[in-house]
Amino acid sequence: MNILQITNESVRFAWESLVANKVRTVLSLMGMTLGIFSIILVFSIVDTFTKSIRDSMESVGSDVVYIQKWPWGGGGGQWWKYFQRPEPTYEELTKLQHRLNTPEYAAFMMVISGNLNYRNNVTENVQMTGVSADYIDIWKTKIDNGRYFSPLESNNGRPVVLLGYDVAEGLFGALDPVGREIRVLGEKVTVIGVIAKEGSKMIGQSHDELILLPVNFMRRKVNEHQIQGAAIMLKAKEGISLDQMKAEVEGVMRGLRRLRPKAEDNFALNEISVIQSGAEMLFGVLWWAGVIIGGFALIAGGFGVANIMFVSVSERISQIGVQKALGARSSFILTQFLGEAVVLSLIGGFFGLSLTYLVLTIVNAQFDIELVLSFNNIMIGVFTSAFIGVIFGIFPALTASRKDPVEAMRAN
């Protein structure tokens, strides 16, 4: 009964304090509002992008090695050395498939840009990606309509194509693209499938705005100088670690390129974890920045709560004296004022969470991302607000609980 009474009185007194001194209260709680807003906004951004990274990792796979000309993560100022390296070739893929034991799937990928034509519809500067048959097993690409091309179509370079979701929508609108012909690289090709909508990704490429062609079709149509990027992708067998596969791949690739024992590799073995670790490090810095900035704002908000509570104590000294004269214990007075401080702090936290939700809603409406105010972050905001209320409300509450009843009743 005492708990309910204290809670009821704390809420009532906190509300009276808000109503009686609107300007002072708003200014004092502004720090609490901004502090909770800063921290929870950063937490929401970091959580969203971290989830996006992990989802992208799952779609691409953490057990995939990319043999490429350029290393990921920057070249450390050695770009000229990497520039002179040869691009991976389709012939190297076929030799690797015969000599390697650790990969389950192996695929080749090459990229150029060009225009697509369907009747009078033209889509310019589309990324055209030539891939071999195992590509779909490595990238776990889902087909929304139609099918993927067969190993025979891939090896023979048949004029077939899969369209990304946005490309298909731009070219055909409401029409079913499957079975229709479009012009690619000056030749008519048949659309055999549409890739399922993927949306933007933090790691790896989204297939929405590209097309997939059999790699040998592209090899017939373009020369190697037109290629923007080539890669051999290798996915490890179950039970084989990435390090095991990389060690085998490095040895075989050095043999294929006839490198001397002391010569440096003229190829890079890239893996997604390099990008993931860099992104997570960046988000870690962002997380701490949010905590530090929000922490200073919360401290300012805490002093605002303390200021409100000291004023509240000075205005209710005679009331404290009456309560003590009627038998109220110091612990009751302490809990009452401490509860009021927590309620005031929670009000500031509520406005901070509301502001966060509003900003996230506006950002989601303006950009192609989905920032979410999760239940966990809401709870963090609530408990942080309550904690600040306890820390900065304890001293004013102790001051009120230690008042002598006779002197307190004489105060006014």
Side-chain angles (χ1 to χ4, degrees):
M1 201 63 193
N2 283 339
I3 294 174
L4 290 174
Q5 182 183 355
I6 292 171
T7 303
N8 181 58
E9 290 186 358
S10 296
V11 172
R12 181 166 59 85
F13 286 137
W15 179 252
E16 289 176 357
S17 179
L18 281 171
V19 173
N21 305 280
K22 296 182 182 67
V23 176
R24 183 190 70 193
T25 303
V26 168
L27 293 175
S28 298
L29 292 184
M30 191 176 292
M32 179 66 64
T33 299
L34 294 177
I36 294 297
F37 166 74
S38 301
I39 290 177
I40 303 305
L41 179 65
V42 170
F43 283 4
S44 297
I45 293 172
V46 170
D47 287 351
T48 299
F49 286 118
T50 301
K51 181 179 181 300
S52 179
I53 288 174
R54 288 172 181 164
D55 291 344
S56 299
M57 284 283 291
E58 287 179 8
S59 67
V60 176
S62 57
D63 54 353
V64 178
V65 168
Y66 297 80
I67 304 174
Q68 292 175 291
K69 176 177 177 176
W70 297 87
W72 295 351
Q78 304 182 65
W79 69 271
W80 179 247
K81 179 178 73 174
Y82 300 129
F83 177 77
Q84 296 181 88
R85 288 177 172 180
E87 291 276 2
T89 65
Y90 184 77
E91 287 77 12
E92 286 176 331
L93 168 71
T94 58
K95 291 175 182 178
L96 287 171
Q97 287 175 314
H98 287 98
R99 299 186 189 186
L100 295 176
N101 297 311
T102 51
E104 181 178 6
Y105 299 110
F108 186 80
M109 177 178 73
M110 56 189 289
V111 179
I112 65 170
S113 293
N115 298 341
L116 305 181
N117 300 78
Y118 174 68
R119 295 179 179 172
N120 294 325
N121 257 355
V122 179
T123 303
E124 298 180 341
N125 296 321
V126 176
Q127 180 178 314
M128 302 177 181
T129 307
V131 297
S132 54
D134 284 357
Y135 179 88
I136 192 171
D137 296 305
I138 294 175
W139 274 84
K140 301 177 183 176
T141 310
K142 296 180 179 178
I143 309 301
D144 181 58
N145 183 17
R147 62 177 178 85
Y148 188 67
F149 42 76
S150 67
L152 183 64
E153 289 171 325
S154 173
N155 294 333
N156 293 342
R158 297 281 176 81
V160 292
V161 63
L162 282 90
L163 305 181
Y165 189 90
D166 292 346
V167 175
E169 198 172 62
L171 271 179
F172 295 98
L175 296 175
D176 183 3
V178 176
R180 300 179 188 273
E181 290 186 338
I182 63 174
R183 187 169 289 278
V184 177
L185 300 174
E187 185 172 332
K188 288 183 178 180
V189 298
T190 303
V191 178
I192 60 170
V194 177
I195 302 169
K197 179 76 173 176
E198 292 180 348
S200 58
K201 293 183 177 181
M202 285 294 297
I203 293 180
Q205 62 181 349
S206 171
H207 291 84
D208 293 345
E209 297 183 357
L210 56 77
I211 66 171
L212 297 182
L213 293 158
V215 66
N216 283 330
F217 172 81
M218 279 186 62
R219 291 176 69 219
R220 287 203 316 267
K221 305 301 293 185
V222 301
N223 61 59
E224 60 182 19
H225 301 295
Q226 292 176 277
I227 299 171
Q228 296 173 352
I232 296 172
M233 299 171 286
L234 304 166
K235 182 179 177 65
K237 290 179 180 177
E238 189 173 350
I240 300 294
S241 71
L242 205 61
D243 289 337
Q244 285 178 274
M245 185 170 70
K246 285 176 69 176
E248 185 189 29
V249 171
E250 183 178 16
V252 174
M253 278 296 295
R254 289 182 64 86
L256 291 177
R257 295 195 172 179
R258 298 179 181 179
L259 297 176
R260 294 178 180 179
K262 292 185 179 180
E264 288 186 19
D265 292 343
N266 61 355
F267 55 89
L269 299 181
N270 295 316
E271 53 185 292
I272 293 295
S273 60
V274 174
I275 299 178
Q276 182 192 23
S277 59
E280 289 185 349
M281 186 180 298
L282 174 64
F283 293 145
V285 172
L286 181 62
W287 188 89
W288 278 110
V291 169
I292 292 170
I293 294 170
F296 281 117
L298 286 175
I299 291 172
F303 281 116
V305 170
N307 174 59
I308 294 173
M309 292 310 302
F310 275 120
V311 172
S312 181
V313 169
S314 66
E315 290 176 345
R316 288 166 28 209
I317 290 179
S318 60
Q319 179 185 326
I320 295 169
V322 172
Q323 285 181 306
K324 283 202 166 187
L326 294 175
R329 295 182 179 181
S330 296
S331 59
F332 179 87
I333 303 297
L334 173 69
T335 308
Q336 183 184 60
F337 278 90
L338 192 60
E340 183 178 339
V342 170
V343 170
L344 286 169
S345 187
L346 285 172
I347 291 171
F350 169 78
F351 285 118
L353 289 171
S354 300
L355 182 59
T356 304
Y357 179 78
L358 178 62
V359 170
L360 293 180
T361 302
I362 293 172
V363 171
N364 289 340
Q366 295 295 320
F367 302 97
D368 185 24
I369 55 177
E370 189 176 352
L371 299 173
V372 178
L373 180 59
S374 68
F375 178 77
N376 286 342
N377 285 336
I378 292 174
M379 288 296 100
I380 289 173
V382 170
F383 284 116
T384 301
S385 300
F387 177 76
I388 294 295
V390 171
I391 295 299
F392 286 89
I394 189 69
F395 191 66
L398 281 171
T399 302
S401 68
R402 291 172 178 172
K403 293 290 184 182
D404 180 83
V406 176
E407 291 183 3
M409 291 177 68
R410 290 175 178 173
N412 291 329

